[in-house]
Amino acid sequence: MRARLRKQRSVDPAPTAVYTEMGSDRGSVVAVAINEEEEEEDEEMWKVKLGSFDGAVRKVNDASEEIMLLWGLQQPTFSNPNAFVNQSALSLHLDACGHSLSILQSPSSLMSPGVTGAVMWDSGIVLGKFLEHAVDSGRLHLQGKRAIELGSGCGLVGCIAALLGAHVVLTDLPDRLRLLRKNVDTNLRLGAMRGSAMVKELTWGEDPDLEVLEPLAEYVLGSDVIYSEAAVGDLLATLGELCGMHTTVFLAGELRNDEVLEYFLEAAMQDFLVGRVEQMDWHLDYRSQRVVIYVLTKKVNE
């Protein structure tokens, strides 16, 4: 008995229609192929270029949808935390930019409520190695650019940015600066870096010092800076102060609390365009289902 035919929409620009036989194996294969091509087309619609990162990012238009995608696809709760760090060790060793970095930690500080910047977290490792990979692949240019790192903690990300040629201001709260300065002095000796580095105090939500604020930075960096709803307002206020229309922000964070991240994204999208860097653009050896990297740029005032 002759099978009934059904007309399907063709994804080919040519006017030839595509027909598949209902119930046939060949028809199923064609239908699956068409669905896959449609999904690829939909995915391409979400990809944009933001700021000075010469790579496509997935634009975030809806915070709740972004959260569902991240927790549904990456399933961070099933991945082991601290894949790249040992928070009980007094130092962390990492090869980056042709140098062997030794980052001092203070594990005992984790016993103090609210103190998390005295040890390294996976998001800092991932962001630092992402910057190195992006520069090596020609998708990012830090040489001679001014960069500010927020919540520098142990200072790894800022150190890597300086080694890549940026003039970096590493910032944190007053009681975090001693360890930060020690790591900068240890790993960024004169002649060892292509850029420069200085350490400055910065409390989010307060007016930055002129040395931090001027001139406006081409890049703002931060890892694990999205950790509580209470801090989001001050963080975004500081980003608003530090960013001009030509500033590119890179923020990396660990996927721990979906409500906090959704709250941040909703608030950030009021003044910034937000895109997520796909893991295929990260350093091959430093990818984690528990970490996300976002690119932000200021919206143009209409």
Side-chain angles (χ1 to χ4, degrees):
M1 184 173 179
R2 188 175 181 180
R4 182 163 53 90
L5 296 179
R6 176 166 61 93
K7 187 175 181 179
Q8 293 187 336
R9 180 175 68 85
S10 173
V11 295
D12 195 310
T16 306
V18 177
Y19 291 86
T20 62
E21 296 187 10
M22 296 291 289
S24 71
D25 292 339
R26 184 168 179 269
S28 299
V29 171
V30 173
V32 169
I34 291 175
N35 288 336
E36 289 179 347
E37 290 180 11
E38 289 176 346
E39 290 177 0
E40 290 176 359
E41 286 181 350
D42 291 341
E43 184 67 22
E44 288 301 319
M45 290 176 61
W46 289 90
K47 290 185 177 179
V48 297
K49 181 182 179 298
L50 286 181
S52 300
F53 177 56
D54 193 18
V57 299
R58 192 182 195 282
K59 188 179 179 185
V60 179
N61 289 323
D62 184 279
S64 60
E65 181 179 283
E66 170 72 359
I67 297 303
M68 287 190 291
L69 279 173
L70 286 175
W71 263 260
L73 295 177
Q74 295 191 194
Q75 297 185 327
T77 54
F78 293 102
S79 299
N80 292 327
N82 301 333
F84 306 122
V85 301
N86 179 1
Q87 294 178 339
S88 63
L90 295 177
S91 63
L92 178 145
H93 300 279
L94 182 73
D95 292 332
C97 311
H99 297 266
S100 181
L101 303 181
S102 179
I103 303 297
L104 300 176
Q105 301 187 121
S106 178
S108 60
S109 298
L110 284 175
M111 304 298 293
S112 302
V115 179
T116 59
V119 295
M120 286 300 307
W121 300 84
D122 280 354
S123 60
I125 304 288
V126 169
L127 180 58
K129 296 300 287 187
F130 162 77
L131 294 176
E132 180 185 17
H133 175 67
V135 169
D136 288 346
S137 62
R139 294 186 174 181
L140 193 63
H141 302 281
L142 294 181
Q143 182 66 49
K145 305 299 183 181
R146 190 167 192 268
I148 298 173
E149 185 185 10
L150 299 178
S152 296
C154 296
L156 174 70
V157 174
C159 287
I160 289 178
L163 290 171
L164 292 169
H167 301 296
V168 187
V169 182
L170 297 90
T171 69
D172 214 321
L173 296 171
D175 61 339
R176 319 289 165 83
L177 299 185
R178 182 181 178 186
L179 178 63
L180 178 57
R181 285 197 176 98
K182 187 175 293 186
N183 278 325
V184 169
D185 293 342
T186 299
N187 292 282
L188 299 180
R189 298 183 180 88
L190 290 176
M193 56 180 166
R194 294 156 55 189
S196 64
M198 69 169 68
V199 173
K200 289 292 179 181
E201 173 188 334
L202 178 61
T203 301
W204 302 347
E206 297 183 3
D207 293 335
D209 291 342
L210 286 180
E211 284 186 287
V212 177
L213 187 59
E214 296 179 357
L216 288 176
E218 284 97 345
Y219 295 96
V220 175
L221 313 170
S223 61
D224 241 7
V225 294
I226 306 167
Y227 52 83
S228 75
E229 290 186 11
V232 165
D234 288 339
L235 171 60
L236 289 174
T238 296
L239 283 174
E241 289 275 350
L242 299 178
C243 295
M245 299 311 299
H246 301 290
T247 304
T248 303
V249 181
F250 289 102
L251 298 181
E254 302 199 22
L255 300 175
R256 301 186 189 93
N257 189 312
D258 57 339
E259 293 182 353
V260 172
L261 181 56
E262 183 175 353
Y263 183 82
F264 168 80
L265 291 173
E266 286 180 346
M269 286 189 293
Q270 296 180 25
D271 298 305
F272 291 88
L273 298 173
V274 181
R276 172 162 40 89
V277 183
E278 302 284 5
Q279 295 213 15
M280 67 181 66
D281 289 326
W282 299 12
H283 191 290
L284 180 62
D285 297 328
Y286 294 90
R287 299 176 181 178
S288 169
Q289 297 301 310
R290 293 181 61 90
V291 177
V292 64
I293 300 177
Y294 286 111
V295 181
L296 290 77
T297 59
K298 261 190 172 180
K299 288 183 177 179
V300 178
N301 293 327
E302 298 180 355

